[in-house]
Amino acid sequence: MPPVDRNNPVRGEGSDSQFTLMEFLRQYGTDAQCLDWLWRTRYAPDGHTAECPKCERPRKFHRVASRPSYSCDSCGHHLHPTAGTIFHKSSTSLHLWFYAMYLMASTKTGLAAKQLEREIGVSYKTAWRMLNLIRTQLMEQDDVKLSGDVEVDETLGGGNVRAGDARRGLAYVHKSHRPTVWAAVERGGRVKAKVVKSRASQDVEGAIYANVEPESIIFTDEYRGYDHVRLSSRFIRHERIRHEDRVYVRGHVHTQTVEGFFGNVKGGLRGVYHGVSRRWLNSYLNEYAWRYSNRFERRAMFDLLLLRTLSD
Ligand SMILES: [Zn+2]
């Protein structure tokens, strides 16, 4: 066996070790490194040469010492790598933003603002705002429809009720006041999750039409909000499992995958976020859907978040 090279340790196999904190800090540990990443990715792949909008040709640029910008050697025009991103005009420094994204890409269950506040030493309000921007902008769900074998289900969101309190009857919220959360999961693939208006057919079935390609097989439980005749005519097939009869799996007919996703969401909302109000529920659904849909490895998830900061 070759001797262990302490300067170049071999990584473990687990997906969690794919992008360690040490590796992250080596690449993005300072504001200058983070700004350099934005600069190279947006304007200057070699770190020096960028298309100058004023000279209208490639020019050498140099870093402006006092500001997060780069200046054209020929005409002095400034380029701002953070312009148009969530970092721009933020009083929080770049590497703290990058670190918050690293944490969001690393956790499996969620990241409470209280924890981020402690980790990076910003106020609770700032920590909450940062996480909210990451959820609403970087993790926003795309419009690409699901296809293949797609399981669909809906559940009642908790409102702002903790499970224990609800059980003890301390914070009872009437069913009609609790938001309906709808989700569809592509087996082996991505998920869509959102708050819909109600459990009525036009809302839950309508969400299927809006989010799933017609060349798909739809799996639901027996809930009549999903009309069998209509769904069968608009998709390859509609398969139903009869939970009423205590049947949960019939061959490949089941909704266990989407129920598993709801389990993750509910566990996180209860355990990490201690309940989420209706107003912000969609942004948290973005977060869980994003994590589920991109569940390859830490490194890829972080890179994906980072690249999202550059799109509108
Ligand atoms: Zn110029």
Side-chain angles (χ1 to χ4, degrees), residues 153-224:
D153 200 5
E154 77 296 316
T155 185
L156 289 178
N160 206 6
V161 186
R162 297 184 197 203
D165 291 348
R167 267 199 306 278
R168 288 190 294 273
L170 296 176
Y172 181 72
V173 174
H174 190 268
K175 247 168 94 166
S176 60
H177 295 132
R178 292 173 64 187
T180 302
V181 175
W182 175 94
V185 181
E186 217 172 45
R187 285 187 188 158
R190 298 166 303 141
V191 64
K192 301 271 183 190
K194 52 199 66 189
V195 176
V196 293
K197 235 170 101 193
S198 73
R199 281 190 90 213
S201 201
Q202 73 257 30
D203 296 324
V204 293
E205 206 181 296
I208 303 184
Y209 301 133
N211 290 284
V212 184
E213 293 283 3
E215 300 80 31
S216 307
I217 301 173
I218 306 292
F219 299 88
T220 68
D221 60 19
E222 70 275 73
Y223 175 50
R224 300 213 171 271

Side-chain angles (χ1 to χ4, degrees), residues 52 54-55 59 61 72-77:
C52 176
K54 215 166 154 196
C55 299
R59 290 291 199 197
F61 277 71
C72 173
D73 286 0
S74 305
C75 75
H77 182 76

Side-chain angles (χ1 to χ4, degrees), residues 50-243:
E51 181 73 23
C52 176
K54 215 166 154 196
C55 299
E56 294 183 323
R57 63 172 66 194
R59 290 291 199 197
K60 291 270 181 223
F61 277 71
H62 63 274
R63 174 73 206 276
V64 179
S66 55
R67 280 200 278 175
S69 64
Y70 294 76
S71 171
C72 173
D73 286 0
S74 305
C75 75
H77 182 76
H78 280 211
L79 287 174
H80 301 265
T82 58
T85 69
I86 56 172
F87 316 124
H88 200 52
K89 291 183 178 154
S90 167
S91 57
T92 306
S93 60
L94 260 186
H95 80 282
L96 294 183
W97 268 108
F98 277 50
Y99 183 55
M101 291 190 292
Y102 171 81
L103 291 176
M104 280 292 256
S106 303
T107 173
K108 287 193 168 72
T109 47
L111 177 64
K114 201 77 199 154
Q115 191 191 338
L116 185 64
E117 174 192 2
R118 279 195 299 269
E119 292 245 12
I120 67 175
V122 296
S123 71
Y124 177 81
K125 207 173 144 194
T126 299
W128 193 89
R129 228 176 12 219
M130 289 170 79
L131 293 177
N132 186 245
L133 275 171
I134 293 173
R135 278 185 204 108
T136 51
Q137 298 201 22
L138 306 188
M139 295 176 163
E140 194 187 12
Q141 297 177 57
D142 63 27
D143 301 327
V144 184
K145 290 183 177 180
L146 306 179
S147 62
D149 289 355
V150 178
E151 297 177 24
V152 178
D153 200 5
E154 77 296 316
T155 185
L156 289 178
N160 206 6
V161 186
R162 297 184 197 203
D165 291 348
R167 267 199 306 278
R168 288 190 294 273
L170 296 176
Y172 181 72
V173 174
H174 190 268
K175 247 168 94 166
S176 60
H177 295 132
R178 292 173 64 187
T180 302
V181 175
W182 175 94
V185 181
E186 217 172 45
R187 285 187 188 158
R190 298 166 303 141
V191 64
K192 301 271 183 190
K194 52 199 66 189
V195 176
V196 293
K197 235 170 101 193
S198 73
R199 281 190 90 213
S201 201
Q202 73 257 30
D203 296 324
V204 293
E205 206 181 296
I208 303 184
Y209 301 133
N211 290 284
V212 184
E213 293 283 3
E215 300 80 31
S216 307
I217 301 173
I218 306 292
F219 299 88
T220 68
D221 60 19
E222 70 275 73
Y223 175 50
R224 300 213 171 271
Y226 301 108
D227 185 89
H228 187 59
V229 175
R230 245 186 340 251
L231 283 169
S232 299
S233 71
R234 298 193 46 173
F235 294 91
I236 293 178
R237 248 187 3 259
H238 173 220
E239 300 268 18
R240 268 200 283 203
I241 194 78
R242 295 187 57 83
H243 290 171

